[in-house]
Amino acid sequence: MDSLSFWNRTLMEPMIIDIILVQESPNPSSELTSPAASGTEASTETVIERWMVQYEGQRLMAPQIGEATYKKMYRKSIILLRSVHAMLRLLPAYKAFRKLCSLKQNCDFVINYKVCSFSSPFSRAEEESMKKYSFVPIDIQPGRLSVSVIYREDLSDFNLDVLVSCPPQIITDYVERGNQILPPHFSDLTAGQVVCIRMFLHHRANPLGSPPLHRSPYEYSPSPTETYIHRNQNQRFPTHQKTTSDDLLSPPFSSSPSPSPPTYLSGGNTVQSRLRSETAPVSIPHPMMGRSPRFLSPNLSDPSRHSLPPLSPRNTRYDPSSHESSSGIRSMRRLDSLRAGESSSGPINVSPKVARDAKEDSGRFSSLLSSGSSPRVGFSRSSSRLSFQDDFGDCDFSCPFIVDDVDPPDSQASLNPDGTKSSEVSSQASSTAKKSQDAAVGILVHMLKTAPPLRQDSGYYTSQSSKIEFEGEVGAASEFFKPRKTSDALEELKVYKEMKDLLLSKSAARLVGKEKRWT
Amino acid sequence: MGSLTLQTSSDFSFRASAPKDIDLELFEITYVQCGDVELERKIDEKIDQFIDKVEKHPNKKNQICLSFYEVKNKQATWFSNKVERLHWEQWYINLNVTQNPKGHSGKSHLPKVEVNPGDTAAEARRARRTALECSLRDILFQIIRFVNEKRDHVPPIPNLDGVSFPYEITISRFCFWDGHVQENAPNWASYNAQLISKAFELVRFL
């Protein structure tokens, strides 16, 4: 309103009100811009509406105006003012003004106005794109008041709708929507952590299937993790693999020698127990990797070797190369069949022998552990046992020291008539059997030593000798952990036999001496 | 704007009331109302009557007549003491409400719009809506133009406690065409009844 004050002083001059559209981006079409536009680099001003109000006064003094005239002037002024008021709201600039008011901070244009008594005329091109309407002047003695408007009929050239087409919206249920994708307890995790967890679950369910996951939108289902595991159990190698999933593989799944979650690497037993219960996967160090390549799987050159656990050193020792390759292929086939349609619980048909072996033959698994990540082992344990059982079933193993079948401690205890001592020995034997295959040799030797005596009256001496032998056994047990050959064992057996004979002879001599004394 | 008054010996101004901007729900059009509650109530009643009539007699041509008059007290005779009404301005709006050819139960008869066969239904509706918006805006411009072109016939403001001249809204099946009453007027340019009623309000405002 302050800008209108100057016009009141000069009543005879027209009052021109320009409605200017100011856009931030420069308008390349300079023809349509007003010559009065500043044309700054950052903004473009365009007159979109121009109102001209002019009072054309008469030079001659008008006669005195009667009341009727005033009434008429009043009625006409009311009609004019209301018409202008209604017209303003029908013009395109008002629509832009309303958009500007509704989206204040998200519009790239501003509407300004300018009041002046003179203005530069529009160019011919501008006039062609504009419409003019002149209100019928009203007689206001001593002159008359005229109002006219020139406006742009179409503002689509300025793309005002595009600028306000994407108003900001507050997603009120953003957190809830995100929680719907993941299980509730995953709501606090980041996207990367979620992917890692998913990869973990996949590997846990299908450790042999190490290729990267196929990230499809269906993976982000709100179903619990169990169903996710079961769903992935039936997946073969996905044909479509995205590289992004490789990048999102969590460190625990890498074959690095460094231990990953330190809480899990508390010891070999702990690892083995975890394997048995198929808990969290760990990256286990590979102490046997540096020993000898012969202990590794013979299928190193096989591209699918990464899906198979390496064979145990025992098996590699006695398997011919040709047989190893064939066994590897057969095991791979079996593993594929197992992976295809079986659940995470393991193979369907597990013989008691295999089950028993799986329960006790942890020595093999330690080697398996050392050569790969645990998730593979955890799943492949029984399956590999099954495959190995079949592979070696046809072979003729005459050497008794190949531990394919390790009798349970109960069977060992049943052979020993000595109650307490045998139970102690059996427990010790069972503990040593778990550690290494060499301990099994010691057990066998011990079995021979604890065999029932040849004579019953030598029970005391046998107990004494067994005690001595037990003591000696403890010291010798350490020796049994060394790798031994069959010949060594036979020699040792001979030594023990000689010792036994010697002891028996001595005891017999004592008895004879006693009898002579009594007599 | 509506509060301009001229104090003279005789009060010839309407009761001041601030005009009210009304935004249409269907279109980006803003029109102005008088701002008088009583007047708006009466107009809404007439609109409802028209809608009811259209629902009872669909596909019938209808006409809404808005007439402004001044009361002339006729000299009372022995048999009549009528109050003569001198209509000084009448607005005739012919409405023909038809159903949407797509099956929608709308009451609007959209002007003919050239729709390409490849357009989807949504695009067709959008095109019809845009055309109707343009037509309505043109109608409103025309009303303003009519009001401004002829002002001399407006009678003096009666000394009444109101915001407008006396008026009358009639709904009939008959229509005036070429100045003559015709029963079946040609089916030209029919619009949504409610939208035209809003035009009534604009006319009354002016």
Side-chain angles (χ1 to χ4, degrees), chain B residues 79-160:
Chain B
F79 303 100
S80 63
N81 190 13
K82 286 195 285 189
V83 176
E84 185 179 359
R85 291 181 177 179
L86 182 61
H87 297 272
W88 52 270
E89 189 174 292
Q90 288 180 323
W91 294 82
Y92 295 99
I93 300 174
N94 297 315
L95 292 171
N96 184 18
V97 181
T98 59
Q99 288 190 354
N100 195 319
K102 290 283 183 178
H104 295 284
S105 59
K107 297 179 180 178
S108 62
H109 176 80
L110 301 175
K112 292 180 180 180
V113 177
E114 292 183 0
V115 180
N116 296 326
D119 292 340
T120 61
E123 292 176 355
R125 284 195 299 270
R126 201 178 301 116
R128 286 195 299 268
R129 177 173 291 186
T130 304
L132 183 58
E133 181 179 340
C134 294
S135 300
L136 183 60
R137 186 174 283 109
D138 292 340
I139 289 292
L140 296 175
F141 274 121
Q142 194 174 5
I143 291 172
I144 294 172
R145 204 172 297 119
F146 287 163
V147 167
N148 277 271
E149 288 176 356
K150 304 287 183 183
R151 299 186 204 141
D152 295 334
H153 64 284
V154 179
I157 298 171
N159 188 11
L160 299 174

Side-chain angles (χ1 to χ4, degrees), chain A residues 314-334:
Chain A
R314 295 193 299 273
N315 297 327
T316 56
R317 194 185 311 165
Y318 297 105
D319 290 336
S321 58
S322 61
H323 181 74
E324 286 173 355
S325 60
S326 62
S327 64
I329 293 171
R330 289 174 62 184
S331 60
M332 184 178 69
R333 289 176 185 173
R334 288 184 178 278

Side-chain angles (χ1 to χ4, degrees), chain A residues 30-36 45-47 50 120-131 150-152:
Chain A
S30 58
E31 293 180 358
L32 297 178
T33 59
S34 168
E45 297 180 354
T46 308
V47 178
R50 174 174 289 175
S120 56
F122 295 114
S123 62
R124 182 169 290 182
E126 290 176 341
E127 285 184 355
E128 290 177 357
S129 64
M130 303 182 93
K131 258 192 172 180
I150 300 175
Y151 61 95
R152 280 181 177 268

Side-chain angles (χ1 to χ4, degrees), chain A residues 249-256 260-261 281-284 373-375:
Chain A
L249 283 174
S250 59
F253 298 103
S254 61
S255 60
S256 61
S260 57
V282 291
S283 175
I284 298 172
S373 60
S374 56

Side-chain angles (χ1 to χ4, degrees), chain A residues 1 11 141 243 264 283 319 358 389 411 414 468 493:
Chain A
M1 293 302 293
L11 193 62
Q141 297 298 330
T243 56
Y264 295 113
S283 175
D319 290 336
Q389 191 68 24
S411 60
S414 63
I468 295 171
L493 183 62

Side-chain angles (χ1 to χ4, degrees), chain A residues 67 70-72 74-87 89-91 94-95 98-99 133 135-138 151, chain B residues 1 4-6 9-10 12-13 21 23 28 30 32 133 137 140-141 144-145 147-149 151-152 154-157 202 205-206:
Chain A
E67 184 176 333
Y70 279 120
K71 291 181 181 179
K72 206 169 183 180
Y74 173 74
R75 291 194 300 270
K76 292 181 178 180
S77 302
I78 289 293
I79 293 173
L80 176 64
L81 290 174
R82 292 184 175 185
S83 300
V84 170
H85 185 83
M87 176 73 80
R89 278 134 184 84
L90 296 177
L91 297 178
Y94 182 77
K95 190 188 294 186
R98 290 296 298 269
K99 289 180 181 177
Y133 180 78
F135 293 86
V136 176
I138 54 174
Y151 61 95
Chain B
M1 280 212 149
L4 176 64
T5 57
L6 188 61
S9 57
S10 61
F12 55 91
S13 63
D21 294 340
D23 298 329
E28 290 181 342
T30 302
V32 186
E133 181 179 340
R137 186 174 283 109
L140 296 175
F141 274 121
I144 294 172
R145 204 172 297 119
V147 167
N148 277 271
E149 288 176 356
R151 299 186 204 141
D152 295 334
V154 179
I157 298 171
L202 175 62
F205 167 74
L206 296 173

